[in-house]
Amino acid sequence: MIFVTSVGNNNIIQNKEIQDYINANLHTDLHALLLKKSPFPDVSMHEIVQQIKGKQTAQKKFPFLLKEGIIFPPQLNLEQASSETTALYKSQILKGNKFVDLTSGFGIDAYYLSGNFNEVTLVEQNLELLNIVEHNWKILGRKASFINQNLEDFLSTNKEYFDVIYLDPARRDQNKNKVFLLEDLSPDILQIKEILLATADQVIIKLSPLIDLKYLISVLPGIFRIEIIALKNDVKEAVVFLSNEKKDGITVNCINLESGEPDFKFVFGDEENVQAVYSEPEKFIYIPNNSILKAGVFNLISERFNLKKLHPNTHIYTSPQKVGGFPGRILEMEVVESKQIKKKGQFNIISKNYPLKPDDIKKKYGIKDGGESYLIFTQSKKGKIILKSL
């Protein structure tokens, strides 16, 4: 094992003059800035712009790193890192004695997930990135063992047993194309699943939100929990929990962070045991959030909330009275004819199970985007319909 104890030239970037220059240019055109010569002989303009981009990203994605002395890695590492919000949510699920992140990256997940553990180990094969993370964790007052190794080598020589192993496999192939099947990830999860489960009580794997749940469960034994995590209705990740301990059923939790909407929990397979009831639109219209849609529990939503579905392929629901606690949008609407749509009106356009996309609809009807009113172009069992908010 190689333990990292230095941060190399990153100390130079912390010079007060350089930091003042970085902070003064947080809103400067970075393309124009890159064409200029660096005013500091020991730091390139590329390195300065890297820090500016890091601070800009941190303002939105992980504001806890907006602290004096923090160093930021290249843009790709920033893009691949989890947000502070999703990492904090996952941290509330875990606690124990020993935690290891086998693909620590920029360390956002590791920082939050390891907060309830006594011993923390970060494994990362990119030495430069690990140096930066070690430096930042010292600034933040968080202790860990930092190991510069790829996870396969670490697992082959490791003698420790952990309460929790966490990993986020790379989801791009050698040509930088996105991949989704477990055997195409790096590392190949199917190849290392046995050693993972022999090394920890629980194994937690962050996967692409595009992963198919039925496929996932069919190829990866030991799953007992799946978290489908959306942030402001944008599904960010599917997180899978594995254990050797036999458990009854697989619990799936759909969460839409920063929305104020409740979680939606179910046992995988429940969807197959219920049937939706269909109806033409009534007074209230319900659109599930995207974590629900990702889970594919279209009939279960109908059954749980006593709602009627418009069409087998239209995942929009309706009821005559308003139902509380629904994980998604609730709109009071009426059916309108196309001739009732005011030209040059302003609406939020939703198109579901309809031939035209929102941009095509706006062009056809001369509608401007925005405002507080909604138009939904969709289908019921009787055919194409347009719904307008009241």
Side-chain angles (χ1 to χ4, degrees):
M1 294 182 180
I2 305 170
F3 290 84
V4 179
T5 56
S6 66
V7 292
N9 293 327
N10 288 324
N11 286 324
I12 300 172
I13 205 81
Q14 295 178 77
N15 178 286
K16 186 178 184 304
E17 277 188 88
I18 298 174
Q19 286 296 311
D20 287 345
Y21 184 85
I22 288 169
N23 292 328
N25 285 279
L26 287 178
H27 305 291
T28 300
D29 182 339
L30 298 186
H31 293 290
L33 199 60
L34 279 170
L35 297 175
K36 295 182 179 180
K37 183 180 179 181
S38 171
F40 309 102
D42 296 324
V43 178
S44 70
M45 189 58 80
H46 177 80
E47 290 171 307
I48 289 170
V49 168
Q50 178 177 308
Q51 296 310 303
I52 293 173
K53 285 182 178 179
K55 290 196 173 190
Q56 290 174 341
T57 303
Q59 287 174 345
K60 298 178 180 179
K61 198 172 180 180
F62 18 76
F64 81 103
L65 289 180
L66 293 172
K67 194 171 184 176
E68 187 176 346
I70 294 295
I71 301 295
F72 294 97
Q75 184 68 21
L76 180 61
N77 300 122
L78 296 172
E79 292 172 358
Q80 292 174 338
S82 292
S83 70
E84 180 177 343
T85 303
T86 58
L88 178 60
Y89 170 74
K90 287 177 284 190
S91 73
Q92 298 166 1
I93 302 168
L94 303 174
K95 63 180 180 179
N97 183 39
K98 289 186 176 184
F99 170 89
V100 61
D101 187 335
L102 295 178
T103 53
S104 67
F106 189 39
I108 306 299
D109 275 333
Y111 180 81
Y112 279 97
L113 269 67
S114 65
N116 295 325
F117 291 81
N118 297 319
E119 296 181 31
V120 178
T121 302
L122 273 62
V123 179
E124 172 55 50
Q125 61 183 352
N126 182 330
L127 178 58
E128 180 184 356
L129 184 57
L130 191 62
N131 280 336
I132 290 172
V133 174
E134 183 190 10
H135 164 83
N136 288 345
W137 279 39
K138 286 178 180 176
I139 297 288
L140 296 166
R142 180 65 62 83
K143 294 181 179 180
S145 296
F146 299 87
I147 301 177
N148 177 218
Q149 244 180 345
N150 67 51
L151 69 84
E152 291 95 342
D153 290 343
F154 173 81
L155 288 171
S156 68
T157 58
N158 169 67
K159 304 298 182 185
E160 292 188 80
Y161 190 81
F162 299 91
D163 295 274
V164 171
I165 285 175
Y166 180 80
L167 67 155
D168 177 6
R171 296 189 287 273
R172 290 185 183 271
D173 62 19
Q174 293 180 342
N175 297 319
K176 296 185 179 181
N177 297 315
K178 290 184 179 180
V179 292
F180 308 105
L181 298 179
L182 297 188
E183 58 267 34
D184 293 333
L185 303 180
S186 179
D188 179 345
I189 299 300
L190 300 183
Q191 288 289 328
I192 65 170
K193 63 183 179 182
E194 291 184 7
I195 190 170
L196 290 173
L197 287 169
T199 308
D201 288 339
Q202 286 187 36
V203 176
I204 301 173
I205 308 172
K206 174 183 168 182
L207 296 170
S208 164
L210 297 179
I211 191 107
D212 182 84
L213 297 189
K214 287 184 179 179
Y215 154 78
L216 179 63
I217 291 168
S218 70
V219 300
L220 193 60
I223 298 174
F224 67 91
R225 177 174 182 164
I226 299 173
E227 293 277 338
I228 300 175
I229 304 174
L231 176 60
K232 296 179 180 177
N233 212 30
D234 182 9
V235 181
K236 295 295 186 181
E237 55 199 65
V239 183
V240 182
F241 294 67
L242 294 87
S243 172
N244 277 320
E245 184 180 343
K246 187 172 177 59
K247 299 179 186 287
D248 295 329
I250 299 171
T251 302
V252 183
N253 186 43
C254 302
I255 176 76
N256 187 16
L257 299 172
E258 296 187 6
S259 69
E261 298 168 2
D263 298 5
F264 185 79
K265 294 182 181 179
F266 64 97
V267 175
F268 189 82
D270 283 354
E271 172 72 7
E272 312 301 326
N273 300 321
V274 294
Q275 296 294 325
V277 177
Y278 297 93
S279 168
E280 291 303 299
E282 297 180 303
K283 185 176 183 180
F284 292 95
I285 296 296
Y286 303 79
I287 305 174
N289 69 50
N290 286 333
S291 72
I292 306 290
L293 298 178
K294 167 60 191 173
V297 283
F298 311 123
N299 295 338
L300 196 58
I301 279 285
S302 175
E303 191 261 351
R304 287 267 186 97
F305 291 94
N306 194 26
L307 302 174
K308 296 169 185 174
K309 209 165 183 280
L310 298 187
H311 183 278
N313 298 323
T314 300
H315 308 311
I316 296 177
Y317 305 79
T318 190
S319 71
Q321 289 85 34
K322 189 175 183 179
V323 174
F326 181 77
R329 280 181 285 187
I330 305 175
L331 300 168
E332 194 172 347
M333 309 194 81
E334 64 178 355
V335 178
V336 296
E337 300 292 331
S338 60
K339 62 185 178 183
Q340 294 175 266
I341 300 173
K342 294 181 179 179
K343 294 289 183 180
K344 298 184 180 179
Q346 191 171 25
F347 294 95
N348 295 290
I349 305 298
I350 297 172
S351 176
K352 288 184 178 290
N353 194 24
Y354 195 82
L356 298 178
K357 295 179 180 180
D359 285 344
D360 299 323
I361 291 168
K362 284 183 282 187
K363 185 177 180 180
K364 179 177 180 179
Y365 292 98
I367 299 170
K368 290 184 178 180
D369 207 8
E372 296 182 359
S373 298
Y374 282 83
L375 283 174
I376 299 178
F377 291 74
T378 187
Q379 290 192 56
S380 70
K381 278 200 162 185
K382 288 186 178 180
K384 290 182 286 187
I385 54 172
I386 303 171
L387 299 167
K388 178 179 176 294
S389 57
L390 296 174

